[in-house]
Amino acid sequence: MKIVVIGGGAGGSSFAARMRRLDEKAEIIILEQTSETSIASCGLPYFIGGVITDRKNMQVASPDLFKQLFNIEVRLNSKVTKIDPQNKIVTINNEHTIPYDKLILATGAKPFVPEIKGIENIAHFTLKHLADADKIKALIKERHLRSATVVGGGFIGVEVAENLARLGIKTSLVELSEQILAPVDIDIARLAHHEMRQHGVELFLSDGIKQITAGKIELNSGKIISSEMLILAIGVRPETSLAQSAGISVNERGAIITNEYMQTNFADIYACGDSVVVSDFVSGQSVMVALAGPANRQGRLIADHIAQNHPYPYKSTQGTGIVKVFDLTVAFTGNNEKQLQRNNIAYEKMIINGSSHAGYYPGGTNLTLKVLYSAEGKILGAQAIGKDGVDKRIDVIATIMRLGGSTADLRDAELCYAPPYSGAKDPVNLIGMAIENVRQGLVKPYFGTDFSDMLVLDVRPANMYEQAHIHGAINVPAAQIRNRLGELPKDKPIMIHCVKGYTSYVVARILAQYGFENIFSYAGGWTFYQSQIQE
């Protein structure tokens, strides 16, 4: 059997290696149109920033390794210019052809480059290949670059901005949306905004580039940025022109449509990675998700299907991801509020401020965790931000989601505990408990920053209240609440807040049992409220 793979990235390489492990005799050829294959593309921003110092480490597997260990032929600079599905032939560089029995399309996605007036007046780059990073590094060194602008607040844009800033380059980031990191909601993104600004990155949100003159970038708002370099990280589009010309079915956005085994409308042609349509785990809608994890799993799945080695279907994509933002980590899984609203999925939410490990053990840091869920307790999505332990909390929730668990399962999850690593009640447990309290009718959470027609009850210690408080709030420290119930009205909504959200819940339960009905506990407490009003 002769198998041709178009594209040497995550999906194509994963397929080829798995296929060889299942079939020693198959002839496997990887055709890569560039001069590089199996590049650690997710590490490119850190290579630019000097965090990864050895260029050799950016290549996960060389053509020589593929040949020597797997007996797989990798042909670089081999651009497939035509696919003939009827005769099962691909044409390379418009010159020669190769027949195939099975064809794997792992063409990935390409950076989106919009038309920008005057872009020729500034050194500008996209970042997909190692060669792109080489050019950026060379320019920084040759010109002793002092200023740069990144367009786009996604993963790559944020990571590039961080690494440029760490090199001492005055860095601006322009984002058309009101926030960076679209997979999370704005309440979580605001914490990342603050972190970037604290490290010197100037954010221009809800703005775009109007035109560029020599050294000057004019934004739609009229603001001017002085910049010597422009990095375009606006997003990606599926690279499927080759597939479309061959009659392979695509959706309205040009992404390849496959069945559950990643087969296209031609049974002997498979597709995987950033160029394919997948089913969203929460909504069931058709989506495109450019993540390395799903691409790798899809490549492996295809190999098992071709080899008939206990073939199994692809079971949708959750969209679980993580990104470093200077000293913070942002992670997420499932849908965010915008996605749920767009798909008319009813949801509730909970936010807590926990600690990365036991509070009495030195070095603990704040961790903000948010979970979206249905009235029935189905987990619809989760987001977290903090300095430590963010990844493991989202990984736990993502796993519980994948296995069909509920918010009660978050409460009941038995997770490892020792003071340096967590509390006896992990943040995952705590948010599950908080959600179940709401579902049981024990408390009503509040999330906004508008307290019109509400009495704001600050139950923090008096010294904290005196340092800063919500305008119009009254202070009754929690320890005094039972003796001062007469000071509180029963005919007006009361919004209670503390430092992180737990004490306000305790006070809410006290008031409820003394006949107060319209009471709310501020989710995340003063800590979270402060993050929402900083901008």
Side-chain angles (χ1 to χ4, degrees):
M1 179 166 52
K2 187 168 187 174
I3 304 172
V4 173
V5 182
I6 304 177
S13 297
S14 177
F15 162 80
R18 174 67 171 176
M19 192 68 215
R20 174 57 74 226
R21 293 193 295 270
L22 297 177
D23 187 342
E24 178 63 22
K25 295 182 179 180
E27 181 182 359
I28 305 172
I29 301 172
I30 297 177
L31 303 175
E32 170 57 48
Q33 68 176 346
T34 70
S35 59
E36 52 193 56
T37 188
S38 287
I39 295 300
S41 55
C42 295
L44 292 175
Y46 302 100
F47 178 58
I48 291 171
V51 178
I52 300 170
T53 56
D54 191 340
R55 191 179 188 277
K56 293 178 181 177
N57 291 336
M58 294 302 297
Q59 186 163 42
V60 179
S62 67
D64 286 344
L65 177 65
F66 271 106
K67 185 62 178 176
Q68 294 166 10
L69 182 60
F70 295 110
N71 192 27
I72 292 170
E73 182 181 357
V74 177
R75 299 184 186 180
L76 301 178
N77 302 306
S78 298
K79 182 176 181 178
V80 177
T81 51
K82 184 180 179 181
I83 299 171
D84 182 348
Q86 282 72 34
N87 296 305
K88 293 182 153 184
I89 294 171
V90 297
T91 302
I92 302 173
N93 298 329
N94 291 315
E95 294 177 355
H96 59 281
T97 60
I98 300 179
Y100 66 84
D101 295 306
K102 302 290 183 182
L103 179 65
I104 316 301
L105 301 180
T107 49
K110 58 184 177 182
F112 172 63
V113 181
E115 290 187 12
I116 299 175
K117 184 179 179 181
I119 195 169
E120 68 277 3
N121 294 318
I122 191 171
H124 58 278
F125 306 91
T126 57
L127 183 60
K128 181 182 180 182
H129 303 292
L130 186 53
D132 300 326
D134 288 336
K135 293 174 185 176
I136 293 169
K137 285 172 68 74
L139 185 73
I140 292 171
K141 183 178 180 180
E142 291 167 7
R143 297 191 185 178
H144 303 287
L145 220 66
R146 293 170 296 176
S147 61
T149 298
V150 178
V151 184
F155 287 7
I156 296 297
V158 168
E159 290 168 345
V160 169
E162 173 184 339
N163 280 278
L164 292 176
R166 288 202 182 279
L167 289 174
I169 296 169
K170 180 175 174 18
T171 304
S172 303
L173 188 149
V174 180
E175 168 55 52
L176 201 57
S177 171
E178 64 179 347
Q179 67 171 85
I180 62 171
L181 302 176
V184 302
D185 293 311
I186 191 167
D187 48 10
I188 299 297
R190 286 188 179 116
L191 294 159
H193 295 171
H194 179 68
E195 180 74 2
M196 295 195 77
R197 290 174 174 134
Q198 287 289 99
H199 285 85
V201 176
E202 190 170 8
L203 299 181
F204 295 88
L205 304 175
S206 301
D207 216 339
I209 296 180
K210 182 179 180 180
Q211 63 179 352
I212 301 173
T213 55
K216 302 288 184 183
I217 299 173
E218 181 182 351
L219 302 183
N220 294 333
S221 62
K223 295 175 182 175
I224 302 294
I225 303 173
S226 296
S227 185
E228 300 167 85
M229 179 176 68
L230 185 68
I231 307 291
L232 298 168
I234 299 169
V236 295
R237 300 290 185 270
E239 180 62 275
T240 58
S241 56
L242 182 65
Q244 292 185 57
S245 65
I248 294 169
S249 296
V250 298
N251 71 358
E252 65 280 359
R253 297 184 63 187
I256 298 171
I257 298 170
T258 70
N259 65 11
E260 59 188 346
Y261 297 105
M262 311 311 295
Q263 287 173 296
T264 69
N265 52 311
F266 295 97
D268 292 320
I269 301 179
Y270 295 75
C272 61
D274 298 351
S275 61
V276 304
V277 177
V278 294
S279 173
D280 180 78
F281 180 80
V282 174
S283 68
Q285 298 290 320
S286 294
V287 295
M288 289 171 288
V289 181
L291 291 171
N296 274 282
R297 294 197 305 277
Q298 290 161 9
R300 178 186 176 93
L301 178 157
I302 293 170
D304 281 47
H305 189 258
I306 291 175
Q308 287 301 294
N309 176 63
H310 306 288
Y312 57 95
Y314 187 71
K315 297 181 179 179
S316 74
T317 297
Q318 282 175 255
T320 305
I322 192 165
V323 61
K324 180 178 179 295
V325 185
F326 289 95
D327 297 329
L328 294 182
T329 299
V330 182
F332 47 87
T333 190
N335 281 191
N336 58 36
E337 291 193 55
K338 297 182 292 293
Q339 290 170 304
L340 294 172
Q341 291 165 7
R342 187 164 58 244
N343 290 311
N344 295 313
I345 298 174
Y347 67 93
E348 305 291 338
K349 62 182 174 182
M350 179 52 66
I351 295 169
I352 66 164
N353 269 307
S355 180
S356 59
H357 59 247
Y360 59 84
Y361 187 89
T365 56
N366 190 68
L367 185 149
T368 301
L369 182 58
K370 176 178 183 177
V371 168
L372 304 171
Y373 62 97
S374 72
E376 297 76 27
K378 179 182 179 182
I379 305 167
L380 303 174
Q383 303 159 33
I385 184 168
K387 288 188 175 182
D388 189 28
V390 168
D391 52 345
K392 72 176 181 178
R393 273 71 190 212
I394 291 299
D395 281 344
V396 166
I397 296 174
T399 302
I400 291 174
M401 278 183 69
R402 173 64 71 173
L403 297 177
S406 68
T407 53
D409 292 309
L410 301 181
R411 176 196 64 195
D412 299 336
E414 188 170 335
L415 306 174
C416 57
Y417 159 63
Y421 305 103
S422 182
K425 296 176 184 176
D426 189 87
V428 170
N429 300 132
L430 291 174
I431 200 162
M433 293 172 182
I435 291 170
E436 290 307 296
N437 285 337
V438 173
R439 294 187 65 230
Q440 293 164 16
L442 295 177
V443 67
K444 291 184 286 189
Y446 194 79
F447 304 95
T449 55
D450 181 3
F451 310 113
S452 303
D453 302 321
M454 305 178 85
L455 172 69
V456 178
L457 176 59
D458 188 332
V459 296
R460 297 176 300 157
N463 64 321
M464 288 187 175
Y465 173 84
E466 289 165 3
Q467 290 174 9
H469 58 265
I470 296 170
H471 178 71
I474 66 167
N475 179 228
V476 180
Q480 303 175 17
I481 197 71
R482 290 182 179 86
N483 297 322
R484 297 176 62 179
L485 294 175
E487 300 175 27
L488 304 177
K490 289 190 174 181
D491 60 348
K492 186 175 184 178
I494 299 176
M495 195 286 292
I496 311 164
H497 85 85
C498 60
V499 178
K500 288 192 171 184
Y502 172 69
T503 305
S504 62
Y505 161 63
V506 173
V507 172
R509 290 304 304 144
I510 293 171
L511 295 184
Q513 293 175 80
Y514 279 98
F516 291 83
E517 295 180 352
N518 205 359
I519 51 179
F520 300 85
S521 174
Y522 196 85
W526 175 259
T527 304
F528 191 69
Y529 169 76
Q530 283 289 95
S531 72
Q532 300 306 296
I533 63 171
Q534 286 174 6
E535 293 191 289

